[in-house]
Amino acid sequence: MRLILRYTFVGLLLATLHSCGSIFTPKGPVELKQVWASDNTLRTPESVVYDPDREVLYASNINQSNDRRDGDGFISKLNPNGEIEELYWVTGLNNPKGMALHNNVLYVADVDEVVAISIQTGAILGKYEAPKARELNDVTVDDAGTVYISDMDRRAIYQMRNGRITEWFDKTRRQRPNGLYWDNEQLVVAFFSNGDIQLLDTETKELKDLTDKIKNADGITKAGTDGYFVSNWEGEVFYVNQEGKKWKVLDTKGKNMNAADIYYSDKTQLLYIPTFKDNRIVAYSVTF
């Protein structure tokens, strides 16, 4: 009789856990294995982007200081093996953070403006001010070339078209949008303040829940065809499937390695992680 009651209790417990949308399953469908790490000459790397045509990586360096407009931020270029080819590839930025690549132009969020850089020459094509922006963070671009930029302090998302930036979405329920990823007519938005990951329809501007409770949610990148990687800035990476179930697949908090604005490449099948205070880019192979 006791044995029957014990199994009944366990069964009810498992059913309850399964019905809880915020729980993540311990053994996930994705495995990460470190392949390489750059040296630590980077300076507070916040974001990384892989260029499949040129087979190089671009890393934004905040070069942390108390002055957000100190002009010492820069972009570095790394080869596919993590070796730094040009530490100071583009200079004269302030606090460069999120980046996105589209049609040979690298778009970089830099405090209150978006900097457009030619990846062919490294020349700055333009700096575009975002009205009333306070802390531009992540950048993503849709297929038509429309640029979306998050602002954590202003709790809003900006849009850039034809060189003009306007405030596009502010109904964030007072939460702080951080990571952005454009995917199939919607934005995947990571809210740093409450850990929610939501889907924002770019036509109706309606938000829909995907998952929650990812503390200090930072970067978002597509993971294959069926899910996303989402980073916790403190040093965790989660895999989230289309149904919103999540699995923690990496934890480097104990090594004092942050996980900032991450990037996954289908071509290399590597997940690239800027470690921020650790001053490196670390690449992990991904097995689905």
Side-chain angles (χ1 to χ4, degrees), residues 16 21 24 37 79 107 125 134 136 175 193 203 208 238 279 287:
T16 302
F24 61 84
N79 71 20
Y107 295 95
L125 302 174
R134 298 173 185 168
L136 298 182
Q175 299 303 323
S193 44
E203 292 296 326
K208 182 173 68 173
F238 292 82
N279 290 319
T287 303

Side-chain angles (χ1 to χ4, degrees), residues 227-243:
Y228 307 96
F229 288 119
V230 181
S231 66
N232 162 4
W233 180 85
E234 291 183 352
E236 296 176 328
V237 175
F238 292 82
Y239 173 78
V240 182
N241 68 12
Q242 297 289 344
E243 287 72 46

Side-chain angles (χ1 to χ4, degrees), residues 10-267:
V10 171
L12 290 171
L13 179 61
L14 290 173
T16 302
L17 291 175
H18 180 73
S19 65
C20 180
S22 65
I23 196 166
F24 61 84
T25 305
K27 183 173 175 58
V30 175
E31 292 184 3
L32 303 184
K33 183 178 180 181
Q34 183 174 322
V35 175
W36 55 254
S38 72
D39 64 36
N40 63 355
T41 56
L42 299 173
R43 287 294 172 260
T44 331
E46 203 280 338
S47 180
V48 63
V49 171
Y50 178 74
D51 182 346
D53 294 329
R54 292 161 183 81
E55 296 186 334
V56 297
L57 292 155
Y58 308 107
S60 63
N61 295 260
I62 294 176
N63 205 359
Q64 193 71 52
S65 69
N66 294 326
D67 184 0
R68 295 195 308 164
R69 302 177 188 279
D70 51 17
D72 66 356
F74 58 95
I75 309 297
S76 301
K77 186 188 290 187
L78 293 77
N79 71 20
N81 298 317
E83 298 167 340
I84 298 174
E85 290 188 345
E86 292 184 64
L87 182 61
Y88 299 104
W89 178 56
V90 178
T91 60
L93 306 182
N94 290 304
N95 273 21
K97 293 184 177 178
M99 302 185 295
L101 181 61
H102 183 77
N103 282 353
N104 294 322
V105 177
L106 185 68
Y107 295 95
V108 184
D110 192 12
V111 186
D112 59 357
E113 60 187 9
V114 174
V115 181
I117 299 168
S118 167
I119 59 172
Q120 295 170 316
T121 65
I124 293 177
L125 302 174
K127 294 184 178 183
Y128 305 93
E129 184 179 355
K132 299 181 180 180
R134 298 173 185 168
E135 188 184 353
L136 298 182
N137 200 290
D138 203 8
V139 183
T140 190
V141 187
D142 68 18
D143 289 342
T146 301
V147 183
Y148 297 90
I149 316 101
S150 62
D151 187 324
M152 290 215 308
D153 272 12
R154 195 163 168 77
R155 294 170 169 80
I157 298 174
Y158 285 84
Q159 186 184 78
M160 176 175 169
R161 283 183 172 176
N162 300 319
R164 182 171 179 264
I165 300 179
T166 56
E167 187 175 295
W168 176 75
F169 184 79
D170 63 359
K171 294 179 174 60
T172 60
R173 303 166 191 166
R174 302 303 300 165
Q175 299 303 323
R176 303 174 69 194
N178 190 342
L180 297 179
Y181 184 83
W182 185 85
D183 187 29
N184 193 26
E185 307 305 326
Q186 62 186 0
L187 290 178
V188 189
V189 185
F191 287 94
F192 188 86
S193 44
N194 65 0
D196 284 353
I197 311 301
Q198 297 188 309
L199 305 176
L200 175 57
D201 189 304
T202 56
E203 292 296 326
T204 65
K205 295 187 179 181
E206 293 182 356
L207 283 168
K208 182 173 68 173
D209 293 336
L210 178 62
T211 193
D212 61 2
K213 296 183 179 178
I214 297 182
K215 184 180 179 182
N216 298 324
D218 195 329
I220 303 174
T221 184
K222 194 68 178 287
T225 58
D226 298 321
Y228 307 96
F229 288 119
V230 181
S231 66
N232 162 4
W233 180 85
E234 291 183 352
E236 296 176 328
V237 175
F238 292 82
Y239 173 78
V240 182
N241 68 12
Q242 297 289 344
E243 287 72 46
K245 183 178 286 189
K246 65 178 182 289
W247 294 263
K248 183 162 64 175
V249 295
L250 185 70
D251 188 342
T252 57
K253 298 194 305 297
K255 299 178 181 179
N256 294 317
M257 294 168 58
N258 303 107
D261 193 2
I262 57 180
Y263 188 95
Y264 174 72
S265 166
D266 282 321
K267 181 175 181 178

